[in-house]
Amino acid sequence: MSQPRFSQKAITEILPRELIRWEVYFFPELESTQSFAGDLFRKEGRYGIFVATNYQSAGRGREGRKWLSPRGNDLLFSFVLMPRHGASRLPLLTLSAALAVCDCLRSLLDLKPEVKWPNDVLVNGKKVCGILTELVKGKGGEQGIIVGVGLNVNRSSSSFSPEIREKATSLLIETGRRISRLSVLGAMMKAFEDEYFLFQKGHFEEIIRRWKGYSSMLGRRVSLHAGKREVQGSVVDLEDSGALVVLLDNGRTESFLSCDCMFV
Ligand code: BTN
């Protein structure tokens, strides 16, 4: 049977409605769903905005990096929340979104995804999804959080640049078949609403516990880049705030709330 087209109507129909009434925007092409959602929130100050596209001409990743994806193959979307717990808990929302992606990949496709702090989902050790969580202020001072998801669905290995080909993957590469973006989106957002419910209730320890269940980071050696600082050590724990606890090679234990992290 042919799949319904990836469109505003199809997306609206597949999104869950239990917790949030999503207001869906779909564009065949856009600079960045993250920027569009942020701009709309700044103007209108409301949550539930959901923006998806088939192609981004200026997709953004963490630390000012570009997020490149060929036209019409992957999931590229951003959505706006106004959570109860504000900016201090922002890292936990990134973890919640990563957990939702993992739940979806496991239940829908029988894959064995892993989370990699702070914002990646890996399959077979390669990045399949990146999450960008940003804080935005509305005109009236209200705080919104934009969660942006870039999930490699149907792109082939040759679509990655040579520098990242060894480190990145897609659902097509991992399963050997084309996957319906709509089914993945629906399952992921359903799982996200469950995570968000935990978050809104303040069950942070449960989010951390579930995150650890999808992580092979504890005990692993990592290299961390925070601004100009670069340190190495072994991962000891993940705090309730979402901070990564690392026993550094200088013998000190330190918590990192947000920085680049690589396995060494
Ligand atoms: C990262 O791993 O650096 C995060 C990547 C986030 C990319 C997504 S794609 C949809 C949304 N729009 C953007 O411009 N970025 C996010």
Side-chain angles (χ1 to χ4, degrees), residues 28-128:
E29 178 170 343
L30 196 62
E31 281 191 3
S32 154
T33 58
Q34 196 77 1
S35 304
F36 184 92
D39 290 346
L40 200 56
F41 179 80
R42 273 183 214 99
K43 266 191 241 141
E44 301 187 356
R46 54 196 164 77
Y47 66 91
I49 294 163
F50 183 100
V51 189
T53 190
N54 268 338
Y55 180 74
Q56 297 186 126
S57 53
R60 301 190 278 113
R62 286 184 65 248
E63 310 284 335
R65 285 188 284 260
K66 287 186 180 154
W67 186 264
L68 301 170
S69 162
R71 191 177 298 269
N73 278 297
D74 297 330
L75 278 170
L76 307 163
F77 61 94
S78 301
F79 53 90
V80 180
L81 305 168
M82 289 173 79
R84 234 174 239 164
H85 305 284
S88 62
R89 297 291 180 176
L90 186 85
L92 281 177
L93 274 178
T94 313
L95 303 187
S96 302
L99 276 178
V101 173
C102 288
D103 279 349
C104 151
L105 299 188
R106 194 169 64 177
S107 63
L108 203 67
L109 302 173
D110 210 16
L111 292 170
K112 294 190 172 55
E114 273 183 50
V115 283
K116 176 171 167 278
W117 188 91
N119 71 324
D120 295 345
V121 176
L122 314 180
V123 175
N124 285 322
K126 295 182 174 186
K127 179 162 171 170
V128 74

Side-chain angles (χ1 to χ4, degrees), residues 145-165:
I145 288 178
I146 321 283
V147 182
V149 180
L151 176 55
N152 302 331
V153 181
N154 288 318
R155 63 190 291 177
S156 62
S157 128
S158 62
S159 74
F160 292 107
S161 65
E163 311 87 73
I164 63 165
R165 199 164 294 153

Side-chain angles (χ1 to χ4, degrees), residues 81-261:
L81 305 168
M82 289 173 79
R84 234 174 239 164
H85 305 284
S88 62
R89 297 291 180 176
L90 186 85
L92 281 177
L93 274 178
T94 313
L95 303 187
S96 302
L99 276 178
V101 173
C102 288
D103 279 349
C104 151
L105 299 188
R106 194 169 64 177
S107 63
L108 203 67
L109 302 173
D110 210 16
L111 292 170
K112 294 190 172 55
E114 273 183 50
V115 283
K116 176 171 167 278
W117 188 91
N119 71 324
D120 295 345
V121 176
L122 314 180
V123 175
N124 285 322
K126 295 182 174 186
K127 179 162 171 170
V128 74
C129 176
I131 293 156
L132 180 65
T133 314
E134 295 176 316
L135 193 66
V136 191
K137 270 221 158 62
K139 271 201 305 236
E142 58 280 37
Q143 274 193 346
I145 288 178
I146 321 283
V147 182
V149 180
L151 176 55
N152 302 331
V153 181
N154 288 318
R155 63 190 291 177
S156 62
S157 128
S158 62
S159 74
F160 292 107
S161 65
E163 311 87 73
I164 63 165
R165 199 164 294 153
E166 294 307 307
K167 296 186 231 155
T169 192
S170 72
L171 302 183
L172 169 73
I173 297 168
E174 296 302 324
T175 61
R177 60 193 165 92
R178 284 188 73 81
I179 304 292
S180 152
R181 285 186 291 163
L182 277 173
S183 317
V184 174
L185 177 62
M188 188 253 154
M189 288 305 290
K190 172 76 194 81
F192 179 77
E193 285 207 353
D194 295 345
E195 301 296 337
Y196 192 52
F197 182 76
L198 288 179
F199 180 88
Q200 290 288 63
K201 290 263 173 217
H203 296 317
F204 306 130
E205 70 303 327
E206 175 64 8
I207 296 174
I208 298 293
R209 190 190 65 75
R210 286 181 28 70
W211 192 92
K212 285 179 180 168
Y214 273 121
S215 168
S216 62
M217 288 192 78
L218 299 187
R220 292 278 297 269
R221 279 195 59 76
V222 289
S223 173
L224 301 171
H225 299 245
K228 287 198 175 127
R229 189 168 172 229
E230 184 176 341
V231 288
Q232 297 202 342
S234 304
V235 178
V236 181
D237 201 6
L238 189 74
E239 286 174 356
D240 278 4
S241 62
L244 192 73
V245 187
V246 180
L247 171 61
L248 299 176
D249 290 350
N250 64 12
R252 287 181 43 204
T253 300
E254 232 181 276
S255 301
F256 296 84
L257 206 47
S258 169
C259 64
D260 267 356
C261 171

